[in-house]
Amino acid sequence: MVRTGAQILLECLQREGVDLIFGFPGGAVIDIYDELPNHPIRHILVRHEQGAVHAADGYARASGKVGVCLVTSGPGATNTVTGIATAYMDSVPLVIFTGQVPTQLIGNDAFQEADIVGITRPCTKHNYLVKDVRQLAFTVKQAFYLARTGRPGPVLVDLPKDVIRATAEFHYPESMSMRSYNPRYSPNRKQLRRAAELIAASSRPVVYAGGGVIAADGAGELTRLARDYRLPVTTTLMGLGAFPGTDPLWLGMLGMHGTYTANMAINNADLLISIGARFDDRVTGRVDAFAPQAKIIHFDIDPTSISKNVGVDVPIVADCRQGLVGLMEELARVSGVDWQGKHAAWLAELAAMQREHPLTYASSGEHIKPQWVVEKIYEITQGEAIITTEVGQNQMWAAQFYRYTRPRTFLSSGGLGTMGYGFPAAIGAQLAFPDRLVVDIAGDGSIQMNIQELATAVSYQIPVKVVILNNGYLGMVRQWQELFYNKNYCATCLHTNPDFVALAKAYGAEGFRVERIEDVEPVLRKAFAHPGPVFVDVRVEPEENVAPMVPAGAALSEMLLV
Amino acid sequence: MRHVLSILVENEPGVLSRVAGLFSGRGFNIESLNVGPTLDPTVSHMTIVTIGDDQIIEQIIKQLHKIISVIKVVDLSEEQAVEREIVLVKVGAEDSKRAEVLRIVDIFRCKVVDVSVDELTVEITGDKNKIKAIVTLLQRFGIKEFARSGPIAMRRSMQLAD
Ligand SMILES: Cc1ncc(C[n+]2csc(CCOP(=O)(O)OP(=O)(O)O)c2C)c(N)n1
Ligand SMILES: [Mg+2]
């Protein structure tokens, strides 16, 4: 049957199981919008294209499905770039459809023309300019295939207006295979055996897990591995939720704002079992001093992540879940090891460290402590909420003081560190799970970077809760200025913040302000019980710092405990 | 160390910029880059000469594989490969010099491909050492124009054991 490009596109989305897209219209995509009401696809009209991409990203991280966006050419397309780069750094599966000027005008500096394929080449897994409507269905199929397989990532499809309007016979390919793309999922047996031998021979092993475990749906397997073989676990920011934060084997997050115990465990380990993590500089600190005594086993689906920053003894290219399953099979074959007793001394040493240097903060003073607010959010939600974060101190406190027990419950821009991520991501996560409580733990600076999405939350009554840890500063930058730049607080004071409560109300949302310690809990409870979107403006200690801290470029063992 | 990478890619728009962008974006070196068709019209062949230690070369190869449009990457170390490059040189060849220029052309088995009263254009084919030698010799006659293709390479059929 002959269809228009617009019909083909929407038909393809249905075949891919897409029932929700985030978008913003314009001249180049008006034909797609014209066709949209004829398809059972819900469209969420955002208020800025960056919001569309972060919302699709939050939806994807929370659900594990591919997030989808539709925007117009030129400025619509360029507005998506930060969102795409955010998703790329954190390996989030997205497909972004951008309108483009008609093919005969491409390259003419036409109205609202931008070379978005060129612009996004380095921050997409792959991208396409569709020049012929007969290629459209195949391209869409391939875009989804690439986004969700291997190491997931964003894929952009640029659609010239004449292609959208042209007609063709519609065939949707049943399956997809590519000669140039064959991700390796199953681990090499020999390498698994070597890994098992190293684990059996180690006396101070540490599991260092990252977002790859969550992306591979391997959190259950990770938990089983650690518990069965008594292995202590630390995760990256991206890995929070891959292992229960309430388990005695949990050491906390590692890295720049990691726990003392996690960082010292890395420092003293004789074996590092890295699973779906990429030795990011915020994790390793000074790289030549990272895990100086340890042999390293590294599971990753992306070969480029292995031995990129740190040399590895046993590289295992595989899907993390399959890698974990295989490793446990090999460990089960190892005989004569008393796993329960084997690492007892090491675990006792780590437990003593945890008692000695827990995550902490001074609770004195009349100001509300931001860490305490996060602890209260944890208590009230009993760890059942989906938490998103902005970037800065709010993000680190959300990582440190809330205990994540399940994967896909902590959504944060780890790799790119994008202020303005958390609020639209919360909207996306809430749409994936309408019945769950979704809370954006925000900063007063970051929230203003996509605050226009209040209109989106209100118009669809998406009941996200935004808790602003309002310190009146671009706090994380101020902290660096305090510690490393002689308190030269240049351009970090936000003394002209808006009245967030009045602002929320102006948009038609609910808003509360909290200035006294005793009001924190009741107001949070009231906010979380409210059926619609809410902003809670919590005035916290203005000059509180995130601790511990490994100064940039220092070794993990050179942490400041402040 | 200098490495010659032989790369098969999908013949589609933008593929050159994906590969070149990888090198510039990650701070890898490109000494030369050469692209051409293959017998299969859907596949193009690139030859890239790059420099780096083993770890960098390993990353470059892995990163190239990661580009969706890249089908195959082969690292041709110098001993195992035949390498050829083509150069066109326009040298000054007034009457007094002409015989000497032609003698060098002859010794190196190059070809004269264009002539005028005071210039000769010489085509040189060879590996980088031969090219270096002849260009050094021609320099004193005055090189007026110079165009160099960058090498293409192929694995030798017979591999000698180290
Ligand atoms: C888009 C963007 N611009 C700049 C930065 C640099 N930056 C990192 S944290 C931070 C401060 C964020 O302030 P706020 O949202 O109030 O959070 P706080 O640290 O005070 O909790 C800034 C400016 C960034 N991460 N993202
Ligand atoms: Mg702040």
Side-chain angles (χ1 to χ4, degrees):
Chain A
M1 198 175 141
V2 173
R3 313 267 172 91
T4 66
Q7 287 170 328
I8 290 171
L9 172 67
L10 293 165
E11 190 66 37
C12 290
L13 293 186
Q14 282 174 248
R15 299 282 181 104
E16 288 297 325
V18 175
D19 48 20
L20 181 71
I21 64 177
F22 300 87
F24 202 89
V29 288
I30 203 162
D31 290 272
I32 302 172
Y33 277 89
D34 191 49
E35 179 62 23
L36 192 55
N38 304 328
H39 297 259
I41 296 173
R42 187 174 181 205
H43 176 266
I44 301 295
L45 176 68
V46 296
R47 294 303 187 270
H48 185 295
E49 289 87 351
Q50 185 186 352
V53 186
H54 290 326
D57 172 315
Y59 173 86
R61 292 194 209 213
S63 67
K65 296 193 237 168
V66 179
V68 180
C69 302
L70 172 61
V71 302
T72 193
S73 67
T78 55
N79 269 349
T80 64
V81 172
T82 301
I84 294 172
T86 302
Y88 185 66
M89 288 291 265
D90 290 345
S91 309
V92 179
L94 299 182
V95 176
I96 298 98
F97 295 99
T98 49
Q100 182 53 279
V101 301
T103 36
Q104 70 275 13
L105 287 183
I106 290 178
N108 268 6
D109 303 320
F111 178 63
Q112 295 197 325
E113 178 183 1
D115 174 14
I116 197 64
V117 169
I119 290 169
T120 59
R121 212 168 264 139
C123 62
T124 50
K125 181 168 174 182
H126 197 55
N127 59 17
Y128 303 86
L129 169 64
V130 183
K131 284 189 174 157
D132 182 339
V133 67
R134 288 167 301 180
Q135 290 295 315
L136 179 57
F138 180 82
T139 305
V140 174
K141 176 86 186 174
Q142 202 167 72
F144 276 87
Y145 172 69
L146 288 175
R148 67 161 72 96
T149 56
R151 179 175 179 175
V155 177
L156 182 140
V157 182
D158 201 21
L159 303 167
K161 182 158 174 146
D162 56 320
V163 172
I164 295 169
R165 292 172 65 86
T167 56
E169 217 31 75
F170 177 62
H171 298 290
Y172 203 59
E174 288 301 316
S175 62
M176 182 55 63
S177 77
M178 296 167 70
R179 62 180 167 189
S180 62
Y181 173 77
N182 294 293
R184 186 189 169 98
Y185 289 97
S186 61
N188 177 306
R189 276 285 142 191
K190 220 172 79 197
Q191 295 292 78
L192 287 176
R193 221 164 294 141
R194 285 181 59 205
E197 283 161 13
L198 284 182
I199 295 172
S202 73
S203 48
R204 297 188 309 281
V206 177
V207 173
Y208 148 50
V213 174
I214 295 171
D217 289 325
E221 286 73 13
L222 174 66
T223 307
R224 199 148 59 77
L225 170 80
R227 287 181 180 162
D228 287 0
Y229 297 95
R230 306 289 297 152
L231 302 168
V233 179
T234 178
T235 75
T236 64
L237 183 78
M238 293 301 299
L240 290 174
F243 186 76
T246 47
D247 194 288
L249 291 163
W250 170 242
L251 306 176
M253 179 174 80
L254 83 166
M256 181 172 273
H257 293 295
T259 64
Y260 177 84
T261 310
N263 285 341
M264 292 312 288
I266 297 285
N267 195 58
N268 300 344
D270 67 352
L271 179 67
L272 207 59
I273 307 157
S274 169
I275 310 169
R278 58 183 174 85
F279 298 81
D280 178 86
D281 55 277
R282 281 291 188 269
V283 160
T284 60
R286 203 175 84 226
V287 73
D288 57 9
F290 182 71
Q293 308 162 41
K295 287 224 161 34
I296 301 178
I297 302 165
H298 188 180
F299 290 85
D300 207 295
I301 187 120
D302 179 359
T304 66
S305 291
I306 296 180
S307 294
K308 182 175 65 180
N309 307 334
V310 172
V312 162
D313 299 281
V314 184
I316 303 177
V317 176
D319 168 79
C320 287
R321 198 186 64 77
Q322 294 192 27
L324 282 160
V325 169
L327 179 62
M328 286 189 278
E329 285 165 8
E330 290 304 325
L331 283 167
R333 293 208 180 99
V334 176
S335 56
V337 178
D338 163 27
W339 291 105
Q340 289 307 307
K342 187 172 183 312
H343 307 133
W346 171 234
L347 292 173
E349 194 183 317
L350 294 172
M353 265 186 216
Q354 271 177 313
R355 279 191 304 276
E356 186 113 352
H357 298 288
L359 279 175
T360 186
Y361 54 93
S363 53
S364 61
E366 78 274 29
H367 284 297
I368 301 169
K369 290 286 176 174
Q371 301 93 328
W372 185 75
V373 176
V374 176
E375 286 179 331
K376 280 289 156 203
I377 296 173
Y378 174 67
E379 258 175 58
I380 295 169
T381 63
Q382 301 180 319
E384 291 295 312
I386 295 174
I387 302 291
T388 72
T389 78
E390 300 297 339
V391 170
Q393 295 181 316
N394 58 86
Q395 178 183 35
M396 292 300 120
W397 289 321
Q400 292 175 326
F401 291 94
Y402 195 100
R403 288 170 184 265
Y404 302 91
T405 53
R406 281 189 284 158
R408 305 191 182 280
T409 57
F410 175 77
L411 317 183
S412 188
S413 170
L416 200 66
T418 308
M419 291 171 66
Y421 170 79
F423 181 35
I427 290 174
Q430 185 78 78
L431 287 164
F433 294 101
D435 299 327
R436 288 179 65 179
L437 180 63
V438 180
V439 181
D440 173 26
I441 297 181
D444 47 325
S446 302
I447 191 61
Q448 296 183 66
M449 284 210 175
N450 271 314
I451 203 155
Q452 76 286 344
E453 298 310 324
L454 259 169
T456 310
V458 169
S459 63
Y460 298 96
Q461 277 302 302
I462 301 165
V464 294
K465 317 301 175 207
V466 177
V467 179
I468 303 170
L469 303 177
N470 187 346
N471 51 14
Y473 282 110
L474 299 171
M476 184 58 92
V477 182
R478 187 208 57 76
Q479 174 170 343
W480 283 52
Q481 290 171 328
E482 176 186 336
L483 297 176
F484 312 117
Y485 293 86
N486 291 322
K487 298 201 178 188
N488 180 14
Y489 293 166
C490 178
T492 45
C493 184
L494 299 177
H495 42 231
T496 50
N497 269 335
D499 175 340
F500 289 112
V501 172
L503 187 76
K505 289 187 171 156
Y507 272 101
E510 187 55 277
F512 302 113
R513 176 165 303 113
V514 184
E515 286 166 312
R516 297 181 314 172
I517 293 171
E518 59 270 30
D519 293 338
V520 169
E521 183 167 344
V523 172
L524 285 177
R525 282 191 189 279
K526 190 162 64 173
F528 294 169
H530 182 76
V534 187
F535 267 35
V536 186
D537 176 12
V538 188
R539 299 301 174 90
V540 298
E541 178 89 89
E543 300 200 7
E544 187 69 15
N545 284 343
V546 178
M549 177 170 194
V550 179
L556 288 191
S557 57
E558 293 161 359
M559 207 165 0
L560 310 173
L561 293 172
V562 254
Chain B
M1 240 261 281
R2 176 177 179 275
H3 283 246
V4 179
L5 304 178
S6 167
I7 307 161
L8 293 181
V9 297
E10 297 287 352
N11 177 17
E12 59 195 16
V15 63
L16 176 60
S17 110
R18 288 184 204 282
V19 172
L22 165 66
F23 279 78
S24 60
R26 293 188 179 267
F28 300 139
N29 278 306
I30 297 186
E31 183 120 307
S32 74
L33 184 155
N34 182 298
V35 200
T38 66
L39 297 178
D40 176 349
T42 68
V43 176
S44 301
H45 182 235
M46 288 188 188
T47 310
I48 294 183
V49 179
T50 183
I51 293 175
D53 61 25
D54 288 354
Q55 198 213 340
I56 288 173
I57 298 296
E58 183 187 327
Q59 257 305 304
I60 291 175
I61 293 170
K62 286 174 167 179
Q63 293 286 356
L64 283 167
H65 275 295
K66 189 169 163 177
I67 296 175
I68 304 294
S69 316
V70 169
I71 301 165
K72 193 173 171 193
V73 183
V74 181
D75 179 12
L76 297 168
S77 86
E78 276 174 71
E79 305 76 55
Q80 305 168 327
V82 254
E83 220 183 274
R84 285 295 177 273
E85 187 171 2
I86 185 161
V87 178
L88 294 176
V89 204
K90 191 176 283 170
V91 279
E94 300 80 26
D95 289 345
S96 58
K97 301 188 205 157
R98 184 164 295 234
E100 181 63 9
V101 171
L102 286 171
R103 222 165 56 82
I104 294 168
V105 166
D106 204 38
I107 292 168
F108 282 91
R109 276 182 243 123
C110 304
K111 266 198 291 192
V112 174
V113 290
D114 190 44
V115 192
S116 73
V117 280
D118 53 355
E119 287 173 349
L120 288 172
T121 301
V122 180
E123 173 195 316
I124 312 163
T125 310
D127 63 14
K128 63 179 193 310
N129 292 330
K130 172 177 169 183
I131 289 167
K132 193 172 169 196
I134 184 164
V135 168
T136 311
L137 287 173
L138 291 178
Q139 236 151 11
R140 67 199 156 100
F141 303 105
I143 292 180
K144 309 209 165 149
E145 259 185 79
F146 186 80
R148 188 165 180 168
S149 67
I152 54 171
M154 218 173 254
R155 220 174 126 80
R156 284 187 192 278
S157 303
M158 246 169 62
Q159 297 290 317
L160 300 175
D162 316 302

